[in-house]
Amino acid sequence: MAFSFCFCFGVTLLLSMWSMATCHIPDGAVTMECRDRYFTIAVDLSFAEKEPNFEAVDETGVYPITVKYAATCGYSTNLLPLLGRMELRASYFSCHTDNTDDEVFTFNFNLNAMHGGEDITYALNKTCSPTLPWSPREVTCEVNYMEVSVRSDMACPTGTKQDDWDAVVQMAYISATSDWQVLLHRDGEQLMPMNLSEAHKQGYAFDLTDGRLVFRTPYGQPDSLSTTVNGVPVEVIHAALFSRQNWVVLMVDLVAACSMYEGSYDESGYMMWETPEELHLLMSGLHETQINVGVNGELVEQPVAEERGYIVEKHNTTVQISIPYNAEGGYRKSLVSGDLYEFYVFDLYVEQISVDEDHVDTRLRFHRTLATPLLPRPVFSLNRTVLEDRTFTVYLGDVPEDVELAAVHLNGHKYMLPFNNTSSQTITKVVHPNNTHGYTLKVPFDDPVVVQKFSKEQAVLQYKLDVNYTMTILPENEPYYHLESVEALFTDVSPPTFQAVCSESGIRFKLDHRSFDYMWDISVGSDLLTSELAAQHGYILSNNSQSLLLDVPLFTHGYKYKDVTLKGFFGTFEILVRDHDTSEVQSSTVKTCPFTATELILCSTDGRMTVVADLSLAIPSGGVPARTNLVDKYCGPKEADDTKALFSFPLNGCGSTVKLGKEYVTYENEIFFSRKLNALKNPADSSNDIDKVMVQCTYPLAGLYRLFSVYKFESDTAGIGRIVRSARSAEGLQSSTTKPPAVLQTAVPATRLTPRPVSIKPGYRPPAQYIRVSSFLNQFNKGARGSPQAKVTPYIGL
Ligand SMILES: *[C@@H]1O[C@H](CO)[C@@H](O)[C@H](O)[C@H]1NC(C)=O
Ligand SMILES: *[C@@H]1O[C@H](CO)[C@@H](O)[C@H](O)[C@H]1NC(C)=O
Ligand SMILES: *[C@@H]1O[C@H](CO)[C@@H](O)[C@H](O)[C@H]1NC(C)=O
Ligand SMILES: *[C@@H]1O[C@H](CO)[C@@H](O)[C@H](O)[C@H]1NC(C)=O
Ligand SMILES: *[C@@H]1O[C@H](CO)[C@@H](O)[C@H](O)[C@H]1NC(C)=O
Ligand SMILES: *[C@@H]1O[C@H](CO)[C@@H](O)[C@H](O)[C@H]1NC(C)=O
Ligand SMILES: *[C@@H]1O[C@H](CO)[C@@H](O)[C@H](O)[C@H]1NC(C)=O
Ligand SMILES: *[C@@H]1O[C@H](CO)[C@@H](O)[C@H](O)[C@H]1NC(C)=O
Ligand SMILES: *[C@@H]1O[C@H](CO)[C@@H](O)[C@H](O)[C@H]1NC(C)=O
């Protein structure tokens, strides 16, 4: 059967000027590829200032590829902004393609792109020789058109119903023309023949190539039929081409049918598309159907498809294709619509090969774009704060690859990224292999931006940080905000308390540091505890990041004494904890320890002298301390044993003498021993003078509020006590030594009297300490301050 097919287009063959496009295209900006069933040009969108456009070129002219023209003439342009690409697909049977024997196809296009405000035309040409042989029937369901081509030597199709056939034949005779006519069928509708140019005007294209008859139509033509097959929407167009030559009517049935199923998404994460196995009666009688699936216009091998998770199933006569939403080859996009969402797009490519009774196969190719609905794509933030680090650590995770952190608001203060070196806050980006990334934000508790709240009543310290992350969706820079609020709570925020333990020689205080202890100061009396203060008073301070250790040796500044007996006494030391800001005392640690001392003199602030004197040093052997007395012989010891006597008396009592100096007042008394007794017991020593031990308390006048007036003595410091033995008795005991008068001094109020530590010679009986009288007095003079004499009401002697 021979066809003499002549075609002419509705579009007038304007011989428009060949635009002399000679510009050279940058490498990589444009790629051209010959595929099995179409030719494609991909243009990098960054190549031009705005979306480029194409023109089809042949020897008859230049034809802008508009939307309508593309659908009629076998072109489809697809903008893929997510991939930054624009694609043109051209059918091998497209209008302006040079076709040699259905084997060699030459394409010529102009690409018009804007550069620097100027439209520049690039000429593109490519010759393709598809290797896949043409099947007897080929159907392409493009995104914008259906195209069917059949081998022109095929026997007349057998599917037309007898009535229709008769009607067509009749029509062919009536029209009495040798030109080709087209009859478009819609089931049960009156057929109206038209010539090819009329058909082209209506958007239908017919072509006769060397060996094939081609028919193409946009979707949704008035003469096409939208129906459903097994519940799947299908669009069918059925054209009969006929020509009467003499008494022979030539007629070809051309049917194109495509599944118009839009795709669906199921909760299990698959995008699903379906097509009936048999799209139309005229394409029926098919035995076997084989399905190949691919993406972006390329079919993949079966094992690859399986590996990518593509699923092809037949349910009754419907073919169902399921693609995992995030399958390779698809692309995703983040989107803000209140919350953060994403969607996936998959350019599905399906081939359906069928074999009919005569073993003639039909090859259907579908280009279909599947998209998921908007899927929530939450980012998350995680509180990774470790209280001990005193730093907020917040992790922002699952940030999609097309989303970037641009800024953070920390408690309302805006910080753009990247952070500069000067800030104590840091932010670091973490990239994960699953195409997400995260950010770790660190802000120290002490950073001024952190809100700090302290409730004294509830003993709770709270740090708070509100983070408002500003992310931007690329490339359109749409902002998205994510909020996180973190706090660090320190409960039981009470002032620090020390552990205190007694030792033989003093008291040891220990404090384990807590992270919030900086809110308090530690002081001894009114003085802030510093290493300087410790050195000045002879405390031993050691402090590291873990704990603070303070050793307070007995008789150093700050001790208070009580319950003095011959057996021992109690010493008390107090450490105060003050509010760092107000200096108010918040708590204190008081420790009282028992101590023993062979000798001791205490000069209390309320005017009492307490003396434990070791008289064995003073009394020649056999003396009885119990029989000693003060200047007032009725003032005997409160307590005595074989060697020691304890006296405790008012400073101005018991015959004390008072020496008022310029800056100091000294109360002095003496401990006498009965000579008689000594003589009796020790007649050999009867020649000795009465031995005596002088005891003194010296107070700086400046620190005195009252001398003994009527009732009361009052000093703000303890006095300096001294026990001074007469040289003779000392000689009697320690004849081999030539010592200056021995002086025992205790309870030195060093802050008042000695700005520097006094030079203390080690005592021969700890803890009694001997100092030189002269140097001691020197210290007095140096350390004295202006004395408020007016306050003093001296009352000397009783
Ligand atoms: C096709 O393009 C190449 C360069 O891309 C050029 O050398 C050649 O002349 C072009 N052919 C036609 C027929 O325009
Ligand atoms: C095709 O048909 C239309 C209207 O039916 C007519 O105007 C036109 O001249 C015809 N064209 C040709 C080439 O016969
Ligand atoms: C297959 O078709 C039969 C009859 O049309 C119907 O009853 C059955 O539900 C269908 N099965 C599926 C899985 O669609
Ligand atoms: C550095 O950062 C701090 C706080 O983030 C900001 O106050 C300051 O202006 C920044 N300096 C520069 C030079 O960006
Ligand atoms: C910021 O810090 C980096 C590394 O810590 C250093 O290389 C860079 O010089 C610093 N920049 C400034 C302005 O201090
Ligand atoms: C991506 O990987 C990171 C690190 O392994 C993980 O924390 C995160 O949950 C993953 N996100 C998704 C969406 O799988
Ligand atoms: C987060 O920051 C953005 C940008 O400044 C602002 O519009 C938004 O209201 C903030 N969100 C909250 C809860 O503060
Ligand atoms: C964050 O972490 C810190 C430290 O583990 C914890 O005290 C706090 O309760 C956490 N939660 C919030 C909301 O800050
Ligand atoms: C002891 O050390 C801690 C931490 O090292 C410090 O905060 C504190 O001020 C120090 N205290 C004294 C009294 O030196």
Side-chain angles (χ1 to χ4, degrees), residues 379-394:
V379 298
F380 70 90
S381 46
L382 208 60
N383 174 11
R384 290 189 175 161
T385 305
V386 175
L387 288 184
E388 286 68 35
D389 295 347
R390 298 192 50 74
T391 297
F392 282 117
T393 305
V394 188

Side-chain angles (χ1 to χ4, degrees), residues 167-242:
V168 169
V169 170
Q170 218 173 359
M171 190 69 75
Y173 277 105
I174 294 164
S175 62
T177 169
S178 60
D179 281 344
W180 284 95
Q181 300 281 306
V182 180
L183 272 175
L184 289 160
H185 296 229
R186 267 170 65 121
D187 286 351
E189 275 189 32
Q190 194 67 40
L191 309 171
M192 287 301 298
M194 56 183 156
N195 60 33
L196 292 184
S197 60
E198 183 61 27
H200 199 276
K201 260 188 214 156
Q202 293 186 20
Y204 303 105
F206 294 90
D207 190 10
L208 184 66
T209 71
D210 265 5
R212 301 185 75 83
L213 200 50
V214 181
F215 167 45
R216 189 185 311 109
T217 174
Y219 291 111
Q221 286 287 79
D223 301 306
S224 64
L225 178 71
S226 290
T227 178
T228 60
V229 178
N230 292 336
V232 180
V234 167
E235 184 168 332
V236 181
I237 191 136
H238 180 186
L241 261 185
F242 66 89

Side-chain angles (χ1 to χ4, degrees), residues 627-637 647 670-673:
R627 301 254 172 106
T628 53
N629 57 265
L630 298 174
V631 169
D632 179 341
K633 64 179 179 184
Y634 295 110
C635 292
F647 294 90
E670 283 177 56
I671 302 171
F672 293 95
F673 317 102

